[in-house]
Amino acid sequence: MVTLFIAVVRRDLQIAYRRWGDVASPLMFFTIVSSLFPLALSPAQETLRMIGPAVLWVAALLSTLLSLNALYRADIEDGTLEQFLIRPEPLAVVMLAKTLSHWLVTGAPLVALAPLMGIAYYLPGDAIATLCATLLAGTPTLSLLGSVGAALTAGLRQAAGLLALLVLPLMLPVLMFGARATDVAASGGDPVGLLYLLGALFFLGLSLAPLAAAAAIRITLD
């Protein structure tokens, strides 16, 4: 199973970086959305510091949604997932590997870019560190939850709207805890409790989402 897991991650990363436009789109979307709010609203430091955590987290969530629609579609169209179905290894291993690849391509760059965007919103150092910590715990959870919705809609054309309706209610707790933890840190409070909640959501998604995505793929292929 470990060999299969590594092989799937390596394959997906190679495909992703050959299609650099698909890799850059979520990151560009995150940057553009985050940059527009300071231009549209007051440039006052207090205003930007107050809205910064929510804006950055909403932009991260929407960037993740933007990249989910094609998570499994190409593998279904070329028959790759059908080949995985007949292998003796659990299909959930493949789902987890593909979700990890998705996060490495879309979520990890957002975490790396977060300090720069935090500075643009005049967030203090503790708040920037908390923002990075929440994104590091929250964006994998978004990918895990999104993988289930992507598996359910993989057989449909133009399913982006339906995918958003399916996964947004599941993603809202991650958004709220992440934004609130950053806001608490920016106000000088202790965000540890909220970080624990984000960690709990991550481990819950890690234990259940690959199994749910595997079941959804089986339904889609049937």
Side-chain angles (χ1 to χ4, degrees):
M1 288 191 295
V2 174
T3 303
L4 176 64
F5 182 88
I6 295 173
V8 173
V9 172
R10 182 181 301 161
R11 170 185 175 272
D12 283 1
L13 290 179
Q14 289 174 347
I15 293 174
Y17 286 110
R18 287 173 187 167
R19 302 173 182 173
W20 61 269
D22 294 339
V23 176
S25 293
L27 188 60
M28 291 177 60
F29 182 86
F30 175 77
T31 304
I32 291 171
V33 171
S34 302
S35 301
L36 287 178
F37 276 86
L39 298 176
L41 298 176
S42 169
Q45 292 188 17
E46 291 302 319
T47 301
L48 295 178
R49 186 176 298 174
M50 181 177 62
I51 68 170
V55 170
L56 294 174
W57 254 100
V58 169
L61 186 149
L62 294 178
S63 299
T64 302
L65 279 177
L66 182 67
S67 60
L68 283 174
N69 194 40
L71 181 58
Y72 300 119
R73 178 163 297 171
D75 287 340
I76 288 180
E77 291 176 351
D78 64 15
T80 301
L81 280 178
E82 293 180 353
Q83 297 300 314
F84 286 133
L85 276 176
I86 63 176
R87 291 183 63 93
E89 297 88 353
L91 186 60
V93 174
V94 178
M95 301 296 102
L96 182 59
K98 293 187 71 65
T99 304
L100 174 61
S101 302
H102 174 267
W103 180 78
L104 290 174
V105 171
T106 61
L110 299 185
V111 178
L113 187 62
L116 181 61
M117 303 311 301
I119 292 173
Y121 281 87
Y122 300 102
L123 295 179
D126 290 344
I128 292 177
T130 303
L131 173 64
C132 293
T134 57
L135 288 174
L136 188 60
T139 50
T141 311
L142 296 180
S143 294
L144 287 165
L145 296 173
S147 68
V148 181
L152 286 171
T153 59
L156 304 176
R157 294 187 178 274
Q158 306 299 327
L162 178 60
L163 174 59
L165 289 175
L166 287 173
V167 301
L168 267 178
L170 301 175
M171 292 180 171
L172 285 180
V174 181
L175 169 68
M176 291 186 292
F177 291 149
R180 180 58 182 160
T182 307
D183 185 53
V184 168
S187 302
D190 186 2
V192 172
L194 293 164
L195 291 174
Y196 284 153
L197 288 173
L198 276 175
L201 289 176
F202 167 70
F203 285 110
L204 181 63
L206 184 64
S207 61
L208 297 179
L211 298 174
I217 283 293
R218 293 182 186 276
I219 294 172
T220 299
L221 294 179
D222 289 342

